[in-house]
Amino acid sequence: MDRRRCLHETIHDDGVNAWTMARIAPPADLSGLIHGYSDYRERTAGFTTRRELPHAEGVFIVNLGEPISITGGNGERLTLNASEAFVAGAHLRPALSHSAGSQAGIHVFLPLATLRLLLGMPMHEIADRVVPLDAILGRAARELGDALAAADGRDHRIDLLDEALRQRLHGVEPPNGQQHHALRLLRARPDLDISAIAAEIGWSRKHMADRVRDAIGVGPRAFRRLLRFQTLTGLIAQEADRPDWAGLAAEAGYFDQSHMIREFREFSGLSPTAYLARSLPEGGGLVEA
């Protein structure tokens, strides 16, 4: 791996909880398909479970440490040993990640539409679910996990993952132009009515909803709500200890602060202030227990 691809490394150690997270840019030939990686190691004596909030991106994580468990939005629990991987589709409810106090792995950040290409299956089939990668890709997933677990350091792990994704995504037919255009407009133009987007593309609203659900797992309206909530949590992370909630609501695209609070509770199960109280420093996530 080119060392210049390491965008930043977060190192936290408060004497109780400690983690190191290296954020790594994608290789140039995959930059339109994935957002990058996080190679992480941690030990947490202060808690064992994180609450993972809904967002508008795909999840692909390879476990490289002690066993971990993930409870999806549907309430089903999956346990992963070292070298095993899981993927998660769009969630409209929080998930939970559990460990015994030690974790290591690689998180691949990627759009839901790319996860659709990687898995070769309609994304609505794994909405609100976490699924072992080998249940979908079989031997290829197991071989990748074993290779990453045996790799000689971070650079080697990233090189192996780059190549595995290239092989999997090379030659896979991307979303058709209309589908790609619909997803782009839903993300970039929240001011456009969904019916207007469908009409511009030449689809009925129902057909567009079906094509969006196939690509990302949820319909156009739910996708926009996830995007708005993801924007809000990103803005909160940049704020000081006393956020201007009304200002953040407007900036994220909510009608008003009350609208923001209702959707925040729906997606997270928490009030915004409870969310702040449970947030760990330096990107450590959200404490559940």
Side-chain angles (χ1 to χ4, degrees):
M1 183 192 74
D2 184 343
R3 296 296 179 88
R4 291 172 296 183
R5 284 174 54 195
C6 187
L7 301 174
H8 58 84
E9 188 168 16
T10 300
I11 301 174
H12 171 83
D13 190 343
D14 59 19
V16 178
N17 304 311
W19 50 80
T20 299
M21 297 181 289
R23 184 62 188 261
I24 297 160
D29 59 329
L30 293 177
S31 62
L33 291 168
I34 67 172
H35 303 315
Y37 312 121
S38 176
D39 187 275
Y40 60 89
R41 300 286 184 277
E42 72 170 33
R43 56 170 176 79
T44 53
F47 62 93
T48 59
T49 305
R50 286 183 173 90
R51 180 173 294 207
E52 311 290 352
L53 300 189
H55 52 78
E57 307 294 344
V59 175
F60 171 12
I61 292 178
V62 184
N63 181 32
L64 298 175
E66 298 298 318
I68 60 172
S69 295
I70 312 294
T71 302
N74 62 354
E76 295 180 1
R77 183 161 173 157
L78 171 69
T79 298
L80 297 168
N81 295 311
S83 81
E84 295 180 333
F86 77 92
V87 291
H91 272 55
L92 297 177
R93 291 169 287 186
L96 298 174
S97 60
H98 321 267
S99 79
S102 176
Q103 284 197 61
I106 297 180
H107 184 158
V108 183
F109 297 95
L110 72 175
L112 286 160
T114 298
L115 189 58
R116 167 57 168 105
L117 297 176
L118 185 70
L119 302 180
M121 63 186 295
M123 289 302 292
H124 62 79
E125 294 185 12
I126 61 168
D128 268 318
R129 295 177 59 203
V130 292
V131 182
L133 187 61
D134 66 357
I136 303 172
L137 300 186
R139 179 178 176 182
R142 293 189 290 272
E143 289 179 346
L144 173 61
D146 290 342
L148 292 174
D152 183 20
R154 178 191 299 162
D155 290 354
H156 189 200
R157 286 193 294 274
I158 298 303
D159 288 340
L160 289 169
L161 194 50
D162 286 346
E163 187 56 30
L165 290 171
R166 287 189 186 102
Q167 290 181 11
R168 183 67 189 174
L169 295 170
H170 178 70
V172 176
E173 185 176 345
N176 66 46
Q178 292 168 301
Q179 189 181 51
H180 177 77
H181 188 52
L183 294 174
R184 185 183 66 80
L185 289 178
L186 287 169
R187 184 181 288 272
R189 293 292 307 275
D191 57 307
L192 288 181
D193 184 78
I194 292 172
S195 295
I197 294 174
E200 177 180 328
I201 294 171
W203 285 344
S204 69
R205 180 164 178 156
K206 180 181 184 304
H207 184 68
M208 188 178 87
D210 289 342
R211 299 307 301 149
V212 169
R213 286 183 70 247
D214 177 90
I216 61 174
V218 295
R221 182 173 176 271
F223 183 50
R224 278 188 160 173
R225 294 175 70 224
L226 284 173
L227 286 167
R228 185 167 57 197
F229 180 68
Q230 179 174 292
T231 297
L232 176 62
T233 55
L235 291 170
I236 293 172
Q238 300 170 22
E239 285 288 305
D241 293 336
R242 299 174 65 85
D244 172 10
W245 294 115
L248 289 176
E251 190 173 354
Y254 291 94
F255 296 123
D256 53 31
Q257 186 173 340
S258 295
H259 179 213
M260 177 202 76
I261 292 172
R262 285 196 304 274
E263 286 212 347
F264 203 102
R265 286 186 180 277
E266 179 181 344
F267 282 134
S268 72
L270 301 169
S271 69
T273 51
Y275 167 81
L276 275 183
R278 292 195 190 186
S279 294
L280 294 161
E282 300 182 279
L286 191 67
V287 171
E288 177 71 9

